[in-house]
Amino acid sequence: MNVLVTGGAGYIGSHTVKMLKETGKNVIAYDNLTKGHREAVKCDVFVKGDIFDDELLINTIKKYNIDSVVHFAAYSLVGESMEKPCLYYHNNVQGTLNLLDVMLRCNVKKLVFSSTAAVYGEPEAVPITEDFMKNPTNVYGRTKLIMENVMKDYSNAYGLKYTALRYFNACGADEEGNIGEDHSPETHLIPIVLQACLGIREGIKIFGDDYPTEDGTCIRDYIHVNDLARAHILALEGMHEGHASNAYNLGVGNGFSVKEIVKAAEKVTGITINKETVQRRSGDPAILIASSDKIRGSLGWEPKYVDIKAIISTAWNWHKNHPNGFGE
Ligand code: UDP
């Protein structure tokens, strides 16, 4: 299997690249490095390039005889997507359309696509199954839903085979300790809490404690990045074995509130941090918890990390040893 990984230098992309290589696939990481880190790429071939660069994409696909693509390259911040929708529609929709166009021109018809729990919006119940109504509350979720619909149409019309993986909250780091989460600026809860533990931040802000949950803070389903990575490999192998196009949720099936995450991180690190409750963040649904029964049944996926403290420990190991991320 010769796999092109767009966004291969990003957080989930780099963990997937590493695991693809470990499972014996030929991996070509492709990234424009606007968000990703060259040091995060742990495979032999890296191409610095953009998903809008048709010529480079075509040359790369031909040179390495690519038969499948895993597409991570996208913007993924809910708050930013509300402030800069143009950026998100351009990169996530137009960019993916461009990639699909190139793939079809090169007769590459297998794609694993990074989707998100944000396609559901405020769910009518939890756990969320794949057939729930899709009603995104933010631009980021809308860009991913648009592309899921496009892929469905391309699958019917052009024989594209795709697997959309709807991630819940990715977190944690590879246990070998040389790759992990490093966003600039960082907006995600667990790295922010751990940076506060390290003294890099004065404390954390809790975005709203008036949600209809037990402690009033938002509940999310936190899934370890390597459990996500493994799902991409299973999805690729499934498509090569003849599985049809499909969309799957990826979460552990347990929900933790913001306050519970902070408490768990304080236990893992032994450090108490300053917390301040502020206004809600726009576009945040109250509770998102996945049912991952479908991918468990179809692809035999299951999470190796189910204990939140164990997940946070892997992130802590990364942040402690790389307080400046890949910058050190
Ligand atoms: N959150 C928070 N303070 C922060 C960052 C996040 O209270 O500094 C909350 C956020 O409102 C959400 C949860 O933590 O309810 C997870 O947010 P994150 O940005 O990590 O992931 P998202 O759910 O947006 O994918």
Side-chain angles (χ1 to χ4, degrees):
M1 220 185 275
N2 301 324
V3 188
L4 180 74
V5 182
T6 73
Y11 173 42
I12 307 173
S14 61
H15 285 77
T16 304
V17 162
K18 181 167 186 258
M19 199 177 282
L20 278 164
K21 183 174 153 62
E22 283 164 1
T23 51
K25 319 287 193 269
N26 294 320
V27 199
I28 288 75
Y30 188 96
D31 200 300
N32 65 8
L33 297 181
T34 56
K35 303 266 176 194
H37 307 276
R38 177 65 185 89
E39 304 87 331
V41 179
K42 305 295 180 196
C43 68
D44 303 327
V45 185
F46 172 72
V47 178
K48 181 169 186 268
D50 199 280
I51 51 172
F52 286 95
D53 188 341
D54 291 11
E55 203 182 320
L56 183 60
L57 275 174
I58 292 168
N59 288 343
T60 306
I61 287 172
K62 289 200 173 137
K63 180 169 178 193
Y64 297 103
N65 204 14
I66 296 295
D67 53 59
S68 321
V69 175
V70 183
H71 176 41
F72 292 100
Y75 292 144
S76 63
L77 302 179
V78 167
E80 186 184 58
S81 78
M82 304 295 279
E83 285 156 22
K84 299 176 185 165
C86 179
L87 198 66
Y88 277 68
Y89 286 111
H90 176 72
N91 200 39
N92 296 7
V93 175
Q94 223 168 320
T96 305
L97 282 171
N98 197 61
L99 173 68
L100 286 172
D101 187 40
V102 167
M103 284 175 63
L104 293 175
R105 275 157 65 194
C106 296
N107 206 28
V108 176
K109 294 198 169 174
K110 292 187 184 65
L111 175 69
V112 183
F113 176 71
S114 297
S115 189
T116 169
V119 298
Y120 296 108
E122 191 76 58
E124 60 250 54
V126 286
I128 298 166
T129 54
E130 287 80 355
D131 54 354
F132 271 34
M133 210 168 65
K134 318 290 178 302
N135 193 11
T137 53
N138 54 62
V139 173
Y140 168 60
R142 275 192 279 282
T143 64
K144 293 292 183 172
L145 183 57
I146 289 169
M147 288 320 305
E148 282 204 27
N149 288 327
V150 168
M151 290 187 306
K152 202 185 287 171
D153 292 336
Y154 280 26
S155 181
N156 292 331
Y158 309 128
L160 172 78
K161 215 182 248 194
Y162 72 91
T163 308
L165 297 176
R166 297 179 186 147
Y167 314 148
F168 282 61
N169 285 62
C171 57
D174 187 62
E175 288 199 28
E176 281 181 11
N178 54 3
I179 51 174
E181 192 165 7
D182 179 6
H183 297 115
S184 183
E186 188 52 78
T187 64
H188 295 105
L189 180 64
I190 292 178
I192 281 181
V193 170
L194 296 178
Q195 286 175 351
C197 292
L198 285 170
I200 295 171
R201 292 169 188 269
E202 281 183 10
I204 72 139
K205 292 185 166 55
I206 294 174
F207 296 147
D209 65 355
D210 56 349
Y211 285 94
T213 62
E214 208 159 295
D215 65 20
T217 63
C218 287
I219 293 178
R220 295 286 180 273
D221 186 335
Y222 293 88
I223 174 168
H224 193 276
V225 64
N226 274 348
D227 282 331
L228 285 181
R230 193 156 6 83
H232 293 75
I233 290 157
L234 292 172
L236 272 179
E237 289 172 350
M239 288 192 291
H240 279 266
E241 284 159 15
H243 284 237
S245 293
N246 224 325
Y248 299 106
N249 287 343
L250 274 175
V252 176
N254 293 328
F256 295 93
S257 72
V258 174
K259 285 186 178 168
E260 285 172 333
I261 291 295
V262 173
K263 207 173 280 173
E266 287 180 334
K267 281 228 171 86
V268 167
T269 61
I271 298 165
T272 305
I273 58 168
N274 296 324
K275 318 140 191 89
E276 180 195 357
T277 301
V278 297
Q279 273 192 337
R280 290 182 177 197
R281 186 174 66 178
S282 140
D284 268 346
I287 309 180
L288 294 173
I289 300 174
S291 160
S292 295
D293 288 353
K294 187 174 167 189
I295 192 165
R296 288 173 194 254
S298 300
L299 297 178
W301 174 86
E302 59 179 312
K304 286 194 177 152
Y305 295 85
V306 288
D307 174 39
I308 192 65
K309 289 213 274 308
I311 295 178
I312 293 174
S313 291
T314 66
W316 180 231
N317 181 43
W318 159 255
H319 287 285
K320 228 177 12 186
N321 293 315
H322 302 84
N324 299 319
F326 289 99
E328 210 179 61

